[in-house]
Amino acid sequence: SSPLMEQLNFFHDHTLLILIMITVLIAYIMFMLFFNKFTNRYLLHGQTIEIIWTILPAVILMFIAFPSLRLLYLMDEINSPLITLKAIGHQWYWSYEYSNFLNLEFDSYMIPTNELDANGFRLLDVDNRIILPMNNQIRILVTATDVIHSWTVPSLGVKIDATPGRLNQTNFLINQPGLFFGQCSEICGANHSFMPIVIESIPMNYFIKWISSQMNSL
């Protein structure tokens, strides 16, 4: 649901293809060694073959390393964000602050199963969702007040540690409307499993209306 996650998926498939090729080649060679009684007396020692099987793995590793490094730098790049969201991890809930707007902040708790609507998402839905506009760069600042948490939304390719006394930042772009779920991904105590993250992605005109209603209600 974000360009970065698409690139991560492409990289995964690219790397998996290389691994499959290596596995098939090695399996074929091992199979032939087990069932082949012939020997090549010129292959028992040879400079050429040793050079080939030293250089070839290095070239294959380069085909994995360069796309990987490109992705690492892309994930750290902050591209003129439209909105800055601050996420603060607590035991065991999240607080959010919209830094571009005055006093727009709220706590986000998981909705208990006995209070959940019939069409709610058990152990994933929250009382206050993060509302963000689609097709816009979003910067998120993440910290914590007590222990280490981790703010993670897999479908957006975002995972960043919330460390007490430290402000980490990353960015993402949501390219479609909808609900995106995540959870704390760092073991943070007894209720670690019960502090979910919900992002609601909406078009910009609806986001402006939501911001206006929030500011008017302050």
Side-chain angles (χ1 to χ4, degrees):
S1 301
S2 75
L4 197 60
M5 194 58 203
E6 285 178 16
Q7 291 297 314
L8 287 165
N9 273 328
F10 291 149
F11 176 67
H12 169 268
D13 296 344
H14 166 77
T15 310
L16 200 62
L17 196 63
I18 293 171
L19 288 174
I20 288 168
M21 287 166 59
I22 293 168
T23 306
V24 168
L25 178 65
I26 299 301
Y28 171 75
I29 291 170
M30 288 178 72
F31 180 83
M32 294 305 292
L33 280 171
F34 285 135
F35 297 101
N36 194 340
K37 293 183 169 52
F38 299 114
T39 57
N40 185 339
R41 62 197 178 101
Y42 298 110
L43 203 64
L44 296 177
H45 59 86
Q47 301 284 318
T48 311
I49 192 69
E50 287 176 9
I51 290 168
I52 290 168
W53 69 41
T54 304
I55 290 175
L56 200 61
V59 172
I60 292 169
L61 282 175
M62 284 167 67
F63 275 100
I64 297 173
F66 286 131
S68 174
L69 287 169
R70 173 179 161 273
L71 263 177
L72 279 173
Y73 279 103
L74 273 175
M75 289 167 78
D76 272 345
E77 195 72 35
I78 304 293
N79 300 311
S80 305
L82 180 82
I83 289 172
T84 299
L85 176 72
K86 186 177 182 184
I88 305 163
H90 308 267
Q91 287 182 308
W92 288 274
Y93 65 97
W94 294 98
S95 296
Y96 297 103
E97 299 174 7
Y98 286 76
S99 305
N100 305 84
F101 307 98
L102 196 63
N103 296 327
L104 183 49
E105 53 189 61
F106 53 84
D107 296 332
S108 180
Y109 289 87
M110 186 191 77
I111 301 173
T113 305
N114 59 341
E115 296 175 19
L116 202 61
D117 294 334
N119 59 351
F121 297 92
R122 181 177 171 271
L123 302 182
L124 281 178
D125 226 336
V126 294
D127 55 357
N128 290 310
R129 294 170 175 171
I130 309 162
I131 310 294
L132 290 173
M134 57 183 278
N135 291 325
N136 285 283
Q137 282 289 339
I138 312 295
R139 170 172 55 194
I140 179 156
L141 306 174
V142 183
T143 187
T145 56
D146 35 47
V147 297
I148 298 175
H149 301 275
S150 187
W151 198 87
T152 306
V153 183
S155 55
L156 300 178
V158 179
K159 185 177 193 294
I160 183 164
D161 282 353
T163 311
R166 184 182 176 90
L167 204 59
N168 293 328
Q169 76 167 354
T170 189
N171 79 113
F172 55 89
L173 183 146
I174 308 171
N175 57 17
Q176 61 186 34
L179 291 178
F180 304 97
F181 295 94
Q183 289 177 304
C184 177
S185 296
E186 189 71 52
I187 295 173
C188 56
N191 291 333
H192 158 68
S193 305
F194 309 112
M195 47 183 299
I197 299 154
V198 183
I199 296 176
E200 188 172 341
S201 170
I202 57 177
M204 177 55 85
N205 55 336
Y206 289 106
F207 178 75
I208 292 168
K209 288 177 184 175
W210 178 79
I211 285 290
S212 302
S213 66
Q214 293 295 312
M215 298 305 288
N216 292 334
S217 64
L218 290 175

